[in-house]
Amino acid sequence: MPDLIALLEKARPLWPYVRSRRFVWPAILCVVGVLYGVLDIGGFVAAPLYNTMVPAVISLTALVLLANATSRLPHEKRWLARVENLLDASDHDKAAQSLSAPPPLMGFAARAAQQVVLVRLKIETGDLLAAYQALIAAEKTVLLPSERLPLRLSKAQLLFNAGNYAAFGQLLTVIDAAPPANGKPRIRYLLLQSLRCELAGSYAAAKSLIEEVIELAASPGERIRGYNNLARLEAMQGNHLNAQSYYEQAWAQLQSAPVPALYPVVLHNLMLSYAMHHAHAKALSLLATYRQAVKPDNVAQVHELLSDQLHLARQLGDRALLLDAYERAQTELVPLLSTAQRFAVAVSELRMRMNDGVDFAGHFNKTIGQFDQQTGLTPVERFNVLSQIMAVCQQDNGAQLGPAAMANWQKASAALLAMEDQIADQLRSVPPQLPTLRDEWHQRQVELIKLKIASAHPPIPKPLVTALFVAIQERRQLWADKQNPVSELEALIVMCDEYIAYRAALGPAFVHDYQRQAEAALRDAGQIAQAKWPHPSMIQYAFGLAYFYWQIANRAELAATWLTRFNQSGLSLAHSAAWLRQQHAQLTAWLGNNVNELPDQPARLPVHCTPPNLAKDVANAKVAPKYLDATLNYC
């Protein structure tokens, strides 16, 4: 006879399951059934049919409750598949509606799968905080090992998207102890592993993992992810011919099995590859094919198509194509939007229209007229709107807007300064696991400090300037702790940018106090960029480094190196802000004249304006190749 104590020891790990709401009723019925037999309760009733039915009813009910706790019923599987299909079609609103209206009497297993799909929805719509909260809530429930693994994979993807590469690597190490052996979880695991290898610079290992994804792929969608990510890895090493061929293979797979959610990834990458390597006719032909594939009533699909058309038009220098994108936005996208969404689009176009030279003044006046009517803006939305208004007023500096530029800048500045407590509250509420969100609020605090500097009466208080550079240094440290060198590089670029912006306006004392700090930031930024080159993400920083090697270090050879790398990348200056194009021309002229002495530089902007941010304005929108992560097609 087995030792009772030994049996209890073996059963101890099951105790959290038994006492959970998920399994408590099947457990209770099992106990009742055992007691019914041991105590021979049926013996007290002289009814054979009763003595047969009662154990059968108890057993059947226990089995039904156990199935409810461990298995998904056919109608639940169909519901989850429908939500997945909506996400594949980039129909996020309908997917959210379906998730919020689950089938009646949904079982525990279906609820666990629902959380995985919800996390995918939130990641794809950019709501990282909601995705994180959903993950934490799900992890606190009683999950089967087969359910915990998909959530861990989702959390790893979330940490990667949030820029927390340290936690991302640590979680993958945990998953390595019991990795998925097959199926879609195996595909997701391999994709995440390839990202870890990519971060470490182990491109050969990353390619090997992606090649395994392609071999194991059971569907065209999985092969699309494999070929697209393999192309990105080739592009990171400067192997553009290989990259383009893999992008073309991904597109061939996508044509054979359309998945609309993948269009803005695969077609974006392939169109820009054609455009940057002088296959302009192919790029335009692909855009026409892209337009035919998009559903005209799908907001996300239309929005991505028009965004990619803008990128392509800038890259090709095609003014007619550029104007066509703006016109189509008004006739094809705006009618699909709510009032709030239309205002958001109008705000997002402010800086684009200014830099593209498309009816900026008229659009600005129309948008400003709508601002006071927007009463339901969240603190994040309100700050972003005010920041956009300030940025374009500052850059315009009265050229097109006249005196209204200064008036609107002052009004927006006062409104932003009034949000200081709200910004501090938002920063306190962001979990440390999500550095991307924390950094966004850090940046907003930096903007407030710059506004205080701009609003201060001369002489500008030194504590404000010190606070500015301390805040930027904290941003740099945040990313260093998360082992994210690209974001750390951006913080260093911003530090150099702010030094240049204030140097002439604040005079020799400022230069004496902060020049060494700026030189150290430039040195560290150059080391990170050199280690990462030719990673496509470095293109947007290449010109900044060149400019700062001129302005801060007076190093013509290094300025020429990084300017040449920027120019040879094939990225058009049309993606950049107008003031940055001017700086490009100035730097080119300086290098061409072989000037050995750093010329006196005037203050870039009037003292009432805060300087533009080179790291943010280097491009109007995303132009680097996209990757397909492991969040697609979970179940």
Side-chain angles (χ1 to χ4, degrees):
M1 181 177 178
D3 182 78
L4 182 60
I5 295 178
L7 287 175
L8 290 174
E9 285 295 325
K10 290 181 179 180
R12 179 179 294 178
L14 300 176
W15 176 241
Y17 291 99
V18 172
R19 65 187 180 88
S20 69
R21 180 169 170 262
R22 182 172 187 169
F23 290 99
V24 66
W25 289 111
I28 289 174
L29 284 174
C30 287
V31 172
V32 169
V34 170
L35 291 176
Y36 186 90
V38 171
L39 300 179
D40 194 21
I41 296 174
F44 295 98
V45 181
L49 183 61
Y50 175 86
N51 291 330
T52 302
M53 288 184 63
V54 169
V57 170
I58 292 174
S59 300
L60 182 61
T61 304
L63 287 173
V64 169
L65 291 174
L66 187 62
N68 178 68
T70 58
S71 304
R72 282 177 275 172
L73 298 177
H75 73 288
E76 295 170 337
K77 292 180 180 179
R78 289 193 296 271
W79 168 68
L80 288 166
R82 185 169 63 252
V83 177
E84 291 279 4
N85 290 335
L86 289 170
L87 290 175
D88 288 342
S90 296
D91 208 335
H92 298 122
D93 290 339
K94 288 184 179 178
Q97 292 172 3
S98 295
L99 276 176
S100 62
L105 303 176
M106 184 170 62
F108 288 95
R111 292 178 191 174
Q114 179 190 26
Q115 290 300 104
V116 176
V117 179
L118 175 62
V119 171
R120 173 188 171 184
L121 170 66
K122 296 303 182 182
I123 290 177
E124 289 188 6
T125 54
D127 194 347
L128 299 186
L129 181 58
Y132 180 79
Q133 291 170 339
L135 276 169
I136 296 303
E139 288 177 339
K140 291 180 179 178
T141 62
V142 174
L143 298 169
L144 301 176
S146 60
E147 297 166 346
R148 191 169 295 279
L149 178 59
L151 280 171
R152 280 181 171 171
L153 293 172
S154 297
K155 187 173 184 178
Q157 184 66 61
L158 174 63
L159 292 170
F160 179 85
N161 286 17
N164 192 345
Y165 297 157
F168 167 72
Q170 291 166 4
L171 182 54
L172 274 186
T173 301
V174 172
I175 298 173
D176 289 343
N182 49 49
K184 290 186 177 180
R186 178 68 180 176
I187 297 292
R188 295 182 63 202
Y189 172 71
L190 292 173
L191 288 169
L192 291 168
Q193 284 279 30
S194 72
L195 292 176
R196 177 163 62 173
C197 292
E198 177 187 322
L199 293 175
S202 302
Y203 294 121
K207 289 179 188 178
S208 179
L209 290 164
I210 295 298
E211 289 166 1
E212 186 177 350
V213 167
I214 295 171
E215 289 178 356
L216 295 176
S219 69
E222 292 169 347
R223 284 189 289 276
I224 292 167
R225 290 196 292 278
Y227 281 116
N228 181 82
N229 286 9
L230 192 56
R232 285 186 64 257
L233 289 168
E234 294 288 356
M236 287 172 194
Q237 295 180 280
N239 303 327
H240 299 299
L241 290 177
N242 280 339
Q244 187 166 295
S245 69
Y246 287 132
Y247 283 139
E248 289 171 338
Q249 184 63 32
W251 171 227
Q253 296 285 332
L254 188 54
Q255 286 178 294
S256 67
V259 181
L262 309 188
Y263 291 154
V265 178
V266 174
L267 291 172
H268 168 96
N269 290 344
L270 184 53
M271 281 196 306
L272 281 180
S273 178
Y274 284 149
M276 294 174 71
H277 298 95
H278 312 297
H280 295 180
K282 285 186 176 182
L284 292 171
S285 176
L286 190 58
L287 176 65
T289 305
Y290 188 178
R291 181 169 290 113
Q292 292 299 316
V294 164
K295 289 187 176 181
D297 60 346
N298 187 297
V299 173
Q301 291 183 31
V302 173
H303 182 266
E304 290 284 2
L305 167 64
L306 294 175
S307 295
D308 285 332
Q309 181 174 333
L310 280 172
H311 298 156
L312 181 61
R314 293 175 186 137
Q315 184 62 37
L316 297 179
D318 190 328
R319 184 70 179 175
L321 189 64
L322 182 82
L323 295 176
D324 179 71
Y326 279 102
E327 184 178 344
R328 287 179 182 273
Q330 296 304 311
T331 59
E332 298 175 7
L333 176 63
V334 170
L336 302 176
L337 304 177
S338 66
T339 301
Q341 289 172 326
R342 292 180 184 185
F343 179 70
V345 168
V347 171
S348 70
E349 285 187 359
L350 285 172
R351 198 179 298 207
M352 290 197 308
R353 284 180 177 271
M354 165 175 277
N355 292 313
D356 288 331
V358 181
D359 186 30
F360 165 65
H363 183 76
F364 177 87
N365 292 329
K366 181 180 178 182
T367 304
I368 284 290
Q370 297 172 351
F371 179 54
D372 291 336
Q373 303 168 20
Q374 309 302 315
T375 57
L377 296 178
T378 65
V380 176
E381 293 167 339
R382 183 173 174 78
F383 192 100
N384 289 343
V385 170
L386 292 169
S387 296
Q388 288 293 325
I389 291 172
M390 285 189 57
V392 294
C393 289
Q394 158 191 313
Q395 186 176 338
D396 176 76
N397 198 23
Q400 298 182 61
L401 301 178
M406 181 62 176
N408 282 300
W409 186 92
Q410 290 177 330
K411 183 178 179 181
S413 172
L416 281 176
L417 287 171
M419 295 183 67
E420 185 170 14
D421 291 340
Q422 288 178 298
I423 292 170
D425 290 342
Q426 292 288 335
L427 181 60
R428 283 192 290 267
S429 68
V430 177
Q433 292 281 61
L434 304 179
T436 292
L437 298 186
R438 292 195 63 81
D439 188 58
E440 288 178 3
W441 289 106
H442 268 303
Q443 291 181 58
R444 292 176 177 118
Q445 287 188 319
V446 167
E447 289 301 315
L448 288 185
I449 296 172
K450 289 164 65 177
L451 285 179
K452 291 178 181 178
I453 292 174
S455 303
H457 295 291
I460 293 174
K462 186 176 179 180
L464 284 178
V465 180
T466 300
L468 173 65
F469 283 88
V470 167
I472 298 172
Q473 182 60 43
E474 287 188 11
R475 284 190 62 202
R476 186 261 178 101
Q477 189 61 51
L478 169 68
W479 291 117
D481 292 344
K482 303 306 181 185
Q483 299 174 12
N484 189 327
V486 175
S487 296
E488 182 183 355
L489 170 59
E490 180 182 323
L492 291 166
I493 288 287
V494 169
M495 187 175 295
C496 295
D497 201 29
E498 302 300 1
Y499 171 76
I500 295 298
Y502 289 109
R503 180 177 61 186
L506 299 186
F510 170 81
V511 173
H512 178 269
D513 290 340
Y514 294 99
Q515 183 170 0
R516 288 186 179 180
Q517 190 172 341
E519 290 171 344
L522 177 58
R523 181 192 65 243
D524 294 346
Q527 290 174 352
I528 293 173
Q530 182 63 38
K532 287 290 182 181
W533 190 263
H535 194 290
S537 65
M538 292 298 101
I539 295 174
Q540 62 180 318
Y541 302 112
F543 173 71
L545 286 169
Y547 185 76
F548 296 139
Y549 275 123
W550 170 33
Q551 290 287 312
I552 295 175
N554 196 22
R555 296 284 299 276
E557 70 283 4
L558 289 175
T561 296
W562 285 101
L563 182 64
T564 300
R565 287 176 172 178
F566 177 79
N567 292 340
Q568 291 179 345
S569 71
L571 186 66
S572 170
L573 275 172
H575 295 289
S576 305
W579 62 266
L580 192 142
R581 296 174 217 159
Q582 183 180 7
Q583 290 184 345
H584 185 278
Q586 292 171 348
L587 174 57
T588 302
W590 181 72
L591 289 172
N593 294 331
N594 196 26
V595 178
N596 295 317
E597 297 297 328
L598 183 66
D600 292 332
Q601 292 295 308
R604 189 194 312 170
L605 295 166
V607 293
H608 68 262
C609 289
T610 56
N613 187 322
L614 188 144
K616 295 298 183 184
D617 278 349
V618 72
N620 287 331
K622 56 196 174 192
V623 291
K626 302 179 187 179
Y627 62 90
L628 279 177
D629 56 38
T631 63
L632 302 174
N633 297 330
Y634 284 128
C635 298

